[in-house]
Amino acid sequence: MATNKYALFFILAFSTLSCSSDEGSPAIEPDTPTPYALTIPKHLPQNYTLPADNPLTEEGVELGRHLFYEEKLSGNNTMSCGSCHQQEKAFTDGRALSLGIDGLPSRRSAMSLANMLWFSQLNWDGSALSLEEQARGPIENTVELHENLGSAVAELQAASPYPRMFQKAFGDSIITETNVLKALAQFERTLISADSRYDRYMNNQEQLTKDELEGMKLFLTHPDPSTNTRGGNCGDCHGGTLFSLRTFHNNGLDDTFSDNGLGDVTGLERDKGKFKAPTMRNIALTAPYMHDGRFATLEEVLDHYNDHIKYNSPTLDPLIIEASNEPNGKTLLLTAEEKRKIIAFLHTLTDPTFTTDKRFSDPNK
C-alpha cells in the first residue's frame, strides 16, 4: 500500500510540473496575412469588386506571383502561365496562336492581363466569370499546360517553399486546388497598367503632340457625316480609361465563322462570331492582333476597319454597319493621314513601368 502511495505521489507531482510548464509556454500565434494596399490611379474606375472569400493580401499576392511563373503547373514541368503571358509584351506572347507544352497551337491568341481587376467576363469568349475560374482553364487544357491541377498540387506540396507560403497566405500548409487558384487570381488583380504617356497627359504631367491629340479625338469619336464630324469609331468598343467597354462584338472579320466565340458560350444565334473587345492599353506591344492573331500590325488593323469589313457577316455590330465619314458611305473612309494619327495616339498607351515593374516579374530571375 505504501508503495502505491509513493507511486501516486510522483505521478501527481509530475503531472503538476508538466501542466505548469505548458501554461508557462508562449502560445503559437497563427499566421495573419497582411492586407495588400492596392493603389488605384484617380483617372481609372474607382469601383471594383473583390471576392469576399479571396481578399488581397501581401502573402497571397506574392504566392500568386511565384505560382504564375511556376513550371510545376504544366504537365511536363516546362511551361508556366508566364510562358504565354510575358511581362515585356504586356503579358502576351507575340504569337498569333499560343503554343502549349507539346508545341501545338492553341485555339486563340493570348490576351493581355492588364487591368483584369475590372473585368468579370474573361477570355475572348467570356467563358470564365472570375479570375479564379479562369486560372484553371489553361492549366488543365490539353493543348496548353496539359496538367491535372490535383497532380500539380501534389508536386507543390512536396516542393519547398510552398507549404510555408500557403500557410502564411491562407493559414494552412496543406495545399489545395482552391487556394492555388485564389493565389493566382490575387496576383493577377494587382497587374494594373496606368503610367503611359496618355496617363501622364491625363494627370497634367506631360503633353501629347498635335498629331497624338488629333489621333485621340479620332479614336474616341463616332463619325457623323451630317455634322461633318470625323471619327475612327474605335471608342464605341474601346472607350473609357480602361480602353475597353468590356463588351462583345462581331467586328466583321468573316462572312462565316470557324470560331463562334461568345455564341458557343451562350448558345445564342445572335452571339455567334462575337469576341471581347480587348484593352487597347499597351497595344503597340501586343501584336499580332484579333482573337486569332490574323493581323501583324496596327496598320493592318486600321485597314481592316477602313476597307475590309465583311458587311454580309451575320451578327455584324450595328455601330460598324452605319459608321462612315462620308454621306451614304459603305466603309469608314478614313484618310491615310487620319489612320497615321490614330496609330500615333495608340503608341501613347504604352506603359514601360508596367512592363518592367519588379512586383510583376519572375521571382526566380
Side-chain angles (χ1 to χ4, degrees):
M1 178 67 72
T3 302
N4 289 340
K5 286 183 179 179
Y6 285 123
L8 180 60
F9 171 81
F10 283 116
I11 290 170
L12 291 172
F14 182 79
S15 299
T16 302
L17 288 171
S18 298
C19 292
S20 299
S21 176
D22 287 344
E23 289 172 0
S25 299
I28 298 175
E29 293 293 331
D31 288 297
T32 302
T34 307
Y36 185 92
L38 190 64
T39 302
I40 307 298
K42 64 182 180 181
H43 60 285
L44 290 187
Q46 299 300 301
N47 57 318
Y48 59 89
T49 302
L50 296 177
D53 65 346
N54 193 24
L56 292 182
T57 67
E58 295 279 354
E59 295 80 6
V61 169
E62 184 61 16
L63 172 58
R65 177 188 173 207
H66 278 73
L67 292 172
F68 187 85
Y69 293 102
E70 178 53 70
E71 293 180 346
K72 288 182 177 64
L73 293 185
S74 67
N76 61 3
N77 292 357
T78 62
M79 292 184 67
S80 69
C81 304
S83 299
C84 295
H85 297 283
Q86 300 164 22
Q87 184 180 12
E88 65 271 18
K89 296 182 176 71
F91 292 94
T92 62
D93 64 358
R95 294 180 178 274
L97 303 174
S98 298
L99 299 180
I101 64 171
D102 299 313
L104 300 175
S106 61
R107 191 180 183 192
R108 299 179 183 132
S109 177
M111 300 189 80
S112 173
L113 300 182
N115 298 333
M116 289 297 101
L117 174 69
W118 288 277
F119 286 74
S120 57
Q121 286 181 281
L122 304 163
N123 299 326
W124 283 104
D125 58 7
S127 56
L129 300 181
S130 71
L131 284 168
E132 289 82 357
E133 178 186 352
Q134 192 280 330
R136 181 186 291 271
I139 295 171
E140 297 195 329
N141 185 298
T142 56
V143 177
E144 296 183 52
L145 296 185
H146 198 176
E147 174 66 297
N148 176 278
L149 186 53
S151 298
V153 163
E155 286 191 65
L156 295 173
Q157 189 72 62
S160 176
Y162 285 112
R164 179 60 182 145
M165 293 184 77
F166 275 88
Q167 174 73 40
K168 292 171 70 174
F170 297 110
D172 194 343
S173 63
I174 303 300
I175 301 173
T176 65
E177 295 182 23
T178 296
N179 284 344
V180 168
L181 301 177
K182 282 184 175 182
L184 284 166
Q186 284 194 46
F187 172 66
E188 290 174 4
R189 289 190 175 102
T190 69
L191 301 179
I192 295 175
S193 178
D195 193 31
S196 65
R197 290 185 58 236
Y198 162 80
D199 294 301
R200 292 194 289 275
Y201 167 78
M202 293 294 290
N203 290 325
N204 297 314
Q205 296 171 328
E206 185 170 335
Q207 289 299 313
L208 300 184
T209 68
K210 182 173 181 291
D211 281 356
E212 290 164 347
L213 289 170
E214 290 179 3
M216 178 169 67
K217 183 178 179 181
L218 287 164
F219 179 92
L220 295 172
T221 301
H222 185 86
D224 184 358
S226 68
T227 60
N228 200 31
T229 302
R230 298 191 65 80
N233 201 37
C234 315
D236 289 344
C237 301
H238 301 285
T241 54
L242 294 177
F243 288 93
S244 170
L245 296 181
R246 296 165 283 182
T247 45
F248 295 80
H249 307 269
N250 172 2
N251 60 345
L253 293 171
D254 300 297
D255 289 318
T256 59
F257 310 126
S258 58
D259 184 343
N260 287 324
L262 180 65
D264 279 342
V265 175
T266 66
L268 299 175
E269 195 72 23
R270 66 173 181 266
D271 289 334
K272 287 185 176 180
K274 292 183 179 180
F275 294 91
K276 181 193 287 184
T279 180
M280 294 291 100
R281 286 184 170 274
N282 300 294
I283 194 67
L285 303 178
T286 62
Y289 304 105
M290 305 296 158
H291 67 278
D292 55 7
R294 68 178 66 189
F295 298 134
T297 66
L298 289 172
E299 285 77 9
E300 288 183 18
V301 173
L302 266 291
D303 286 345
H304 162 72
Y305 286 114
N306 206 49
D307 303 309
H308 304 302
I309 294 290
K310 304 290 187 182
Y311 284 94
N312 292 325
S313 182
T315 72
L316 180 62
D317 196 294
L319 290 172
I320 290 179
I321 293 174
E322 55 84 30
S324 181
N325 282 286
E326 302 295 338
N328 302 313
K330 293 298 183 183
T331 60
L332 195 53
L333 296 174
L334 289 167
T335 67
E337 186 70 358
E338 286 171 329
K339 288 190 288 183
R340 184 188 65 78
K341 289 177 180 178
I342 290 173
I343 291 172
F345 167 66
L346 291 174
H347 278 270
T348 73
L349 302 179
T350 298
D351 178 357
T353 301
F354 181 65
T355 58
T356 58
D357 194 324
K358 293 295 185 184
R359 295 174 301 167
F360 308 150
S361 66
D362 186 342
N364 302 308
K365 293 182 178 179

